[in-house]
Amino acid sequence: MKSGLNKMAVVLVLLLLWEGYVRIAHVSPLLLPAPSRVLVGLGVYLENGALLRYTWQTLKMLLAGMGIGMLTAFGLTVLATTSRWGRDLLLTLTSIMNPLPGIALLPLALLWLGIGPRSLLFVIANSVVWAVALNLHTGFETVPLTWRRVGQNLGLRGWGLIRHVYLPAALPYLLTGTKIAWSFGWRTVIAAELVFGASGQAGGLGWMINLERYNLNTTGVFCGLVTIILLGFLAEAFFEAVEAWTIRRWGMSAG
């Protein structure tokens, strides 16, 4: 609770400094709109429903891409846990693909899949899969041997052992990987939507930012940026709640 109040205080101070600077220096709204102006703009976007449509489009693509990436990462991790060649496959692919920014594969995605949702899903999934796979694989590797032997003595094999022993033990690593995947996914989807926007394709918040930039509506650009920031705060609060309900409650964290 105290941490949340401190964060709100920091944000409030920054907004006051921003507002004061714009008013005292008489900065043109074309260059830097005041927070009060951005707030009015947000109200207009909410009233006409445009902001909700843009936000939903981005969230829909982001969650779908994350789902694909996380399922792929889980499959690769299970394969790496159950076989030596699967482990080598995961580590090799991770070494090759993880250094590449997700957006760097967008030109290939456009060539292979065309301009549309499939290309966007491809680059989002690629930006997500390796971070999740690395963290989950590390979590599986750190499961104590005693726990594995106990599970095997209870008759657990294959999927049963992974479900009842590996996954619960690796939950902190899975949560960390999911948080990293969320941040990587956000960066990728906004960057990709900016490219699609430049191609004249309707999209989400990234397309909105690009469109308002083209129309010289700096307030609209800031409305899109503020929306992304607010969603980031909500996601952070959600992950903290999940961590409190699970790994902290079960004594898996010192927090």
Short mmCIF file of all heavy atoms in Angstrom, two decimals, residues 169-204:
data_model
loop_
_atom_site.label_atom_id
_atom_site.label_comp_id
_atom_site.label_asym_id
_atom_site.label_seq_id
_atom_site.Cartn_x
_atom_site.Cartn_y
_atom_site.Cartn_z
N ALA A 169 7.19 -26.14 -8.71
CA ALA A 169 8.50 -25.72 -8.22
C ALA A 169 9.06 -24.57 -9.04
O ALA A 169 9.80 -23.72 -8.51
CB ALA A 169 9.46 -26.90 -8.24
N ALA A 170 8.73 -24.52 -10.32
CA ALA A 170 9.28 -23.50 -11.22
C ALA A 170 8.36 -22.29 -11.35
O ALA A 170 8.59 -21.43 -12.21
CB ALA A 170 9.54 -24.10 -12.59
N LEU A 171 7.33 -22.20 -10.51
CA LEU A 171 6.36 -21.11 -10.64
C LEU A 171 7.00 -19.72 -10.56
O LEU A 171 6.64 -18.83 -11.35
CB LEU A 171 5.27 -21.25 -9.57
CG LEU A 171 4.13 -20.23 -9.64
CD1 LEU A 171 3.41 -20.31 -10.97
CD2 LEU A 171 3.15 -20.46 -8.49
N PRO A 172 7.95 -19.46 -9.64
CA PRO A 172 8.57 -18.12 -9.64
C PRO A 172 9.26 -17.79 -10.95
O PRO A 172 9.20 -16.65 -11.42
CB PRO A 172 9.58 -18.20 -8.49
CG PRO A 172 9.03 -19.27 -7.59
CD PRO A 172 8.42 -20.28 -8.52
N TYR A 173 9.91 -18.77 -11.56
CA TYR A 173 10.58 -18.55 -12.83
C TYR A 173 9.56 -18.32 -13.95
O TYR A 173 9.77 -17.49 -14.84
CB TYR A 173 11.47 -19.74 -13.19
CG TYR A 173 12.64 -19.92 -12.25
CD1 TYR A 173 12.52 -20.69 -11.10
CD2 TYR A 173 13.86 -19.31 -12.51
CE1 TYR A 173 13.59 -20.86 -10.23
CE2 TYR A 173 14.95 -19.48 -11.66
CZ TYR A 173 14.80 -20.26 -10.52
OH TYR A 173 15.86 -20.41 -9.67
N LEU A 174 8.44 -19.04 -13.90
CA LEU A 174 7.40 -18.87 -14.90
C LEU A 174 6.78 -17.47 -14.80
O LEU A 174 6.53 -16.82 -15.83
CB LEU A 174 6.32 -19.94 -14.72
CG LEU A 174 5.11 -19.85 -15.66
CD1 LEU A 174 5.55 -19.94 -17.11
CD2 LEU A 174 4.10 -20.94 -15.33
N LEU A 175 6.57 -17.01 -13.58
CA LEU A 175 6.00 -15.67 -13.40
C LEU A 175 6.97 -14.59 -13.89
O LEU A 175 6.55 -13.63 -14.56
CB LEU A 175 5.67 -15.45 -11.93
CG LEU A 175 5.01 -14.10 -11.58
CD1 LEU A 175 3.71 -13.93 -12.34
CD2 LEU A 175 4.75 -14.01 -10.08
N THR A 176 8.25 -14.77 -13.60
CA THR A 176 9.24 -13.82 -14.09
C THR A 176 9.29 -13.81 -15.60
O THR A 176 9.35 -12.75 -16.24
CB THR A 176 10.64 -14.16 -13.52
OG1 THR A 176 10.59 -14.11 -12.09
CG2 THR A 176 11.68 -13.20 -14.04
N GLY A 177 9.27 -14.99 -16.20
CA GLY A 177 9.27 -15.08 -17.66
C GLY A 177 8.05 -14.44 -18.27
O GLY A 177 8.12 -13.80 -19.33
N THR A 178 6.89 -14.59 -17.61
CA THR A 178 5.67 -13.98 -18.12
C THR A 178 5.74 -12.47 -18.07
O THR A 178 5.29 -11.77 -18.99
CB THR A 178 4.46 -14.48 -17.32
OG1 THR A 178 4.41 -15.90 -17.36
CG2 THR A 178 3.16 -13.93 -17.90
N LYS A 179 6.30 -11.92 -16.99
CA LYS A 179 6.44 -10.46 -16.89
C LYS A 179 7.38 -9.93 -17.97
O LYS A 179 7.11 -8.89 -18.57
CB LYS A 179 6.95 -10.08 -15.49
CG LYS A 179 5.91 -10.29 -14.40
CD LYS A 179 6.33 -9.64 -13.10
CE LYS A 179 7.43 -10.39 -12.43
NZ LYS A 179 7.72 -9.83 -11.07
N ILE A 180 8.47 -10.64 -18.21
CA ILE A 180 9.39 -10.22 -19.26
C ILE A 180 8.71 -10.33 -20.62
O ILE A 180 8.85 -9.44 -21.48
CB ILE A 180 10.67 -11.07 -19.22
CG1 ILE A 180 11.42 -10.83 -17.92
CG2 ILE A 180 11.57 -10.75 -20.41
CD1 ILE A 180 12.62 -11.74 -17.72
N ALA A 181 7.96 -11.40 -20.82
CA ALA A 181 7.26 -11.59 -22.08
C ALA A 181 6.24 -10.49 -22.32
O ALA A 181 6.06 -10.01 -23.45
CB ALA A 181 6.57 -12.96 -22.10
N TRP A 182 5.56 -10.07 -21.26
CA TRP A 182 4.59 -8.98 -21.39
C TRP A 182 5.26 -7.69 -21.88
O TRP A 182 4.76 -7.03 -22.79
CB TRP A 182 3.90 -8.75 -20.05
CG TRP A 182 3.01 -7.54 -20.00
CD1 TRP A 182 3.35 -6.30 -19.54
CD2 TRP A 182 1.65 -7.45 -20.43
NE1 TRP A 182 2.28 -5.45 -19.65
CE2 TRP A 182 1.23 -6.12 -20.20
CE3 TRP A 182 0.75 -8.36 -20.98
CZ2 TRP A 182 -0.05 -5.68 -20.50
CZ3 TRP A 182 -0.54 -7.92 -21.28
CH2 TRP A 182 -0.93 -6.60 -21.04
N SER A 183 6.39 -7.35 -21.26
CA SER A 183 7.08 -6.12 -21.66
C SER A 183 7.64 -6.23 -23.08
O SER A 183 7.51 -5.29 -23.87
CB SER A 183 8.21 -5.80 -20.67
OG SER A 183 9.18 -6.83 -20.65
N PHE A 184 8.23 -7.37 -23.42
CA PHE A 184 8.74 -7.56 -24.78
C PHE A 184 7.60 -7.53 -25.79
O PHE A 184 7.72 -6.95 -26.87
CB PHE A 184 9.49 -8.89 -24.88
CG PHE A 184 10.87 -8.87 -24.29
CD1 PHE A 184 11.33 -7.76 -23.59
CD2 PHE A 184 11.71 -9.96 -24.41
CE1 PHE A 184 12.60 -7.73 -23.03
CE2 PHE A 184 12.99 -9.95 -23.86
CZ PHE A 184 13.43 -8.83 -23.17
N GLY A 185 6.50 -8.18 -25.43
CA GLY A 185 5.35 -8.21 -26.34
C GLY A 185 4.79 -6.83 -26.60
O GLY A 185 4.43 -6.49 -27.73
N TRP A 186 4.70 -5.99 -25.55
CA TRP A 186 4.19 -4.63 -25.70
C TRP A 186 5.05 -3.83 -26.67
O TRP A 186 4.55 -3.15 -27.56
CB TRP A 186 4.14 -3.93 -24.36
CG TRP A 186 2.77 -3.85 -23.76
CD1 TRP A 186 2.36 -4.41 -22.60
CD2 TRP A 186 1.62 -3.18 -24.29
NE1 TRP A 186 1.03 -4.14 -22.38
CE2 TRP A 186 0.55 -3.38 -23.40
CE3 TRP A 186 1.39 -2.43 -25.46
CZ2 TRP A 186 -0.72 -2.86 -23.61
CZ3 TRP A 186 0.13 -1.92 -25.68
CH2 TRP A 186 -0.91 -2.13 -24.76
N ARG A 187 6.36 -3.89 -26.46
CA ARG A 187 7.26 -3.13 -27.34
C ARG A 187 7.11 -3.58 -28.79
O ARG A 187 7.09 -2.77 -29.71
CB ARG A 187 8.70 -3.32 -26.88
CG ARG A 187 8.99 -2.81 -25.48
CD ARG A 187 10.35 -3.23 -25.01
NE ARG A 187 10.54 -2.94 -23.59
CZ ARG A 187 11.60 -3.32 -22.89
NH1 ARG A 187 12.57 -4.00 -23.47
NH2 ARG A 187 11.69 -3.02 -21.61
N THR A 188 7.00 -4.88 -28.97
CA THR A 188 6.93 -5.41 -30.32
C THR A 188 5.62 -5.05 -31.00
O THR A 188 5.60 -4.65 -32.17
CB THR A 188 7.10 -6.94 -30.29
OG1 THR A 188 8.35 -7.27 -29.68
CG2 THR A 188 7.06 -7.51 -31.70
N VAL A 189 4.50 -5.19 -30.29
CA VAL A 189 3.21 -4.94 -30.92
C VAL A 189 3.06 -3.46 -31.28
O VAL A 189 2.53 -3.13 -32.35
CB VAL A 189 2.06 -5.42 -30.01
CG1 VAL A 189 1.89 -4.55 -28.78
CG2 VAL A 189 0.74 -5.45 -30.80
N ILE A 190 3.53 -2.56 -30.43
CA ILE A 190 3.42 -1.13 -30.74
C ILE A 190 4.31 -0.79 -31.93
O ILE A 190 3.89 -0.07 -32.86
CB ILE A 190 3.80 -0.27 -29.52
CG1 ILE A 190 2.81 -0.52 -28.37
CG2 ILE A 190 3.82 1.20 -29.90
CD1 ILE A 190 1.37 -0.19 -28.70
N ALA A 191 5.54 -1.29 -31.94
CA ALA A 191 6.45 -1.03 -33.07
C ALA A 191 5.89 -1.59 -34.36
O ALA A 191 5.94 -0.94 -35.41
CB ALA A 191 7.82 -1.62 -32.77
N ALA A 192 5.34 -2.80 -34.31
CA ALA A 192 4.79 -3.41 -35.51
C ALA A 192 3.56 -2.66 -36.00
O ALA A 192 3.37 -2.47 -37.21
CB ALA A 192 4.43 -4.87 -35.24
N GLU A 193 2.73 -2.20 -35.09
CA GLU A 193 1.55 -1.43 -35.49
C GLU A 193 1.94 -0.09 -36.10
O GLU A 193 1.24 0.42 -36.97
CB GLU A 193 0.63 -1.22 -34.28
CG GLU A 193 -0.15 -2.46 -33.89
CD GLU A 193 -1.05 -2.22 -32.69
OE1 GLU A 193 -0.91 -1.18 -32.02
OE2 GLU A 193 -1.89 -3.09 -32.43
N LEU A 194 3.04 0.48 -35.65
CA LEU A 194 3.53 1.71 -36.28
C LEU A 194 3.91 1.45 -37.73
O LEU A 194 3.62 2.27 -38.61
CB LEU A 194 4.74 2.24 -35.51
CG LEU A 194 4.46 2.93 -34.17
CD1 LEU A 194 5.76 3.16 -33.41
CD2 LEU A 194 3.75 4.25 -34.40
N VAL A 195 4.53 0.30 -37.99
CA VAL A 195 4.89 -0.05 -39.37
C VAL A 195 3.63 -0.30 -40.20
O VAL A 195 3.51 0.17 -41.33
CB VAL A 195 5.79 -1.29 -39.40
CG1 VAL A 195 6.05 -1.74 -40.83
CG2 VAL A 195 7.11 -1.00 -38.69
N PHE A 196 2.68 -1.05 -39.64
CA PHE A 196 1.44 -1.29 -40.35
C PHE A 196 0.70 0.02 -40.60
O PHE A 196 0.06 0.21 -41.63
CB PHE A 196 0.53 -2.23 -39.55
CG PHE A 196 1.04 -3.64 -39.50
CD1 PHE A 196 0.78 -4.46 -38.41
CD2 PHE A 196 1.80 -4.16 -40.53
CE1 PHE A 196 1.25 -5.76 -38.36
CE2 PHE A 196 2.27 -5.45 -40.50
CZ PHE A 196 2.00 -6.26 -39.42
N GLY A 197 0.81 0.94 -39.63
CA GLY A 197 0.17 2.24 -39.81
C GLY A 197 0.78 2.99 -40.97
O GLY A 197 0.08 3.66 -41.74
N ALA A 198 2.10 2.89 -41.11
CA ALA A 198 2.77 3.55 -42.23
C ALA A 198 2.34 2.94 -43.55
O ALA A 198 2.44 3.56 -44.61
CB ALA A 198 4.29 3.44 -42.07
N SER A 199 1.84 1.70 -43.51
CA SER A 199 1.38 1.03 -44.72
C SER A 199 -0.11 1.25 -44.95
O SER A 199 -0.70 0.65 -45.86
CB SER A 199 1.65 -0.48 -44.63
OG SER A 199 3.02 -0.72 -44.41
N GLY A 200 -0.73 2.03 -44.09
CA GLY A 200 -2.14 2.36 -44.27
C GLY A 200 -3.09 1.30 -43.75
O GLY A 200 -4.25 1.25 -44.15
N GLN A 201 -2.62 0.47 -42.85
CA GLN A 201 -3.46 -0.60 -42.31
C GLN A 201 -3.96 -0.22 -40.92
O GLN A 201 -3.19 0.17 -40.06
CB GLN A 201 -2.67 -1.92 -42.22
CG GLN A 201 -2.16 -2.41 -43.57
CD GLN A 201 -3.29 -2.78 -44.50
OE1 GLN A 201 -4.27 -3.39 -44.09
NE2 GLN A 201 -3.16 -2.41 -45.75
N ALA A 202 -5.27 -0.34 -40.70
CA ALA A 202 -5.84 -0.02 -39.40
C ALA A 202 -5.33 -0.99 -38.35
O ALA A 202 -5.10 -2.16 -38.61
CB ALA A 202 -7.37 -0.08 -39.47
N GLY A 203 -5.14 -0.49 -37.15
CA GLY A 203 -4.63 -1.35 -36.09
C GLY A 203 -5.02 -0.83 -34.74
O GLY A 203 -6.11 -0.29 -34.56
N GLY A 204 -4.08 -0.95 -33.79
CA GLY A 204 -4.37 -0.59 -32.42
C GLY A 204 -3.73 0.72 -32.02
O GLY A 204 -3.69 1.69 -32.78
#
